């Protein structure tokens, strides 16, 4: 399929050395996987949310894979990918405005990125039918959507295999090998085609979730 260029088991603290947390979170590894939860009361709104960036910038054409387990809801789990400064600098460059986990800083600030929300249990009107959403920034463009097959969080929650395949402006998204949606970017309607960039885990309070086995393959 391609060449494996990055692999991280996310199994212990040493595995995330160099990762950058924006906002405040408790990061632990209770059972050999990375557990994320906010340390701020959800009544604080966007201030209670956070993003954890992998500092590696990946090429444009990649397959990004990780495993996900929801522990506690409500909340949202989001993955940023192809994230970079709007002026072309790395997403973690000091020349960019400081970010603290509040969503507008990511979709209408000084970065470009895709963001896929694949576990959404926040709003009352979303609890009957769950969706996975792909948005493109700069801007808050909803560009693709599909049904979310992941059950609600419970004591019996299982691990789910998540996969994003990006070939230039063509993005497909899978959960446990089931294709959820596809998006083909024309490079005009929602801005230029996004190329290389970083990936980042975003979570909304008070959700608790675990992650493991982050892999990136160059296509």
């Amino acid at each position: 399929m391609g060449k494996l260029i990055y692999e991280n088991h996310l199994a212990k603290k040493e595995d995330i050395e160099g990762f950058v947390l924006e906002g405040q979170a408790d990061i632990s590894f209770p059972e050999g996987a990375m557990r994320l939860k906010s340390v701020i009361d959800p009544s604080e709104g966007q201030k209670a949310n956070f993003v954890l960036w992998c500092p590696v910038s990946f090429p444009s054409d990649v397959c990004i894979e990780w495993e996900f387990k929801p522990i506690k809801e409500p909340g949202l789990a989001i993955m940023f990918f192809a994230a970079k400064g709007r002026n072309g600098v790395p997403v973690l460059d000091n020349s960019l405005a400081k970010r603290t986990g509040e969503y507008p800083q990511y979709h209408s600030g000084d970065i470009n990125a895709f963001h896929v929300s694949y576990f959404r249990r926040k709003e009352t009107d979303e609890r009957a039918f769950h969706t996975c959403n792909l948005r493109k920034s700069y801007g808050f463009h909803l560009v693709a959507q599909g049904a979310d097959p992941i059950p609600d969080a419970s004591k019996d929650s299982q691990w789910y295999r998540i996969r994003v395949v990006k070939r230039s402006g063509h993005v497909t998204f899978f959960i446990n090998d089931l294709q959820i949606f596809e998006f083909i970017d024309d490079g005009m309607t929602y801005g230029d085609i996004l190329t290389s960039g970083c990936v980042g885990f975003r979570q909304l309070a008070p959700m608790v979730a675990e992650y493991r086995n982050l892999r990136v393959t160059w296509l």
Side-chain angles (χ1 to χ4, degrees), residues 100-219:
T100 55
E102 298 171 60
Y103 204 27
Q105 300 169 350
Y106 299 84
H107 65 66
S108 297
D110 53 7
I111 70 172
N112 291 326
F114 280 114
H115 26 127
V116 55
S117 54
Y118 55 92
F119 188 85
R120 305 171 68 238
R121 303 293 192 276
K122 189 172 189 294
E123 303 298 338
T124 301
D125 60 0
E126 292 175 351
R127 296 188 70 84
F129 184 82
H130 307 307
T131 60
C132 299
N133 293 345
L134 179 68
R135 294 188 183 271
K136 182 182 176 184
S137 301
Y138 176 75
F140 194 55
H141 308 295
L142 178 62
V143 297
Q145 189 175 63
D148 174 7
I150 299 179
D152 293 344
S154 74
K155 63 181 180 61
D156 299 317
S157 288
Q158 303 297 308
W159 285 100
Y160 297 92
R161 301 186 312 277
I162 316 292
R163 184 165 86 249
V164 171
V165 179
K166 178 187 178 297
R167 296 180 184 270
S168 187
H170 185 186
V171 177
T172 47
F173 179 70
F174 303 83
I175 297 178
N176 280 6
D177 297 322
L178 173 68
Q179 182 172 316
I180 306 301
F181 58 67
E182 179 180 33
F183 170 60
I184 299 177
D185 196 344
D186 62 13
M188 295 180 290
T189 306
Y190 306 108
D192 294 340
I193 289 175
L194 302 185
T195 56
S196 60
C198 290
V199 302
F201 298 93
R202 176 173 173 80
Q203 222 172 261
L204 273 66
M207 183 174 176
V208 180
E210 293 184 347
Y211 305 83
R212 68 183 186 187
N213 296 332
L214 174 64
R215 293 165 50 95
V216 180
T217 303
W218 186 19
L219 303 177

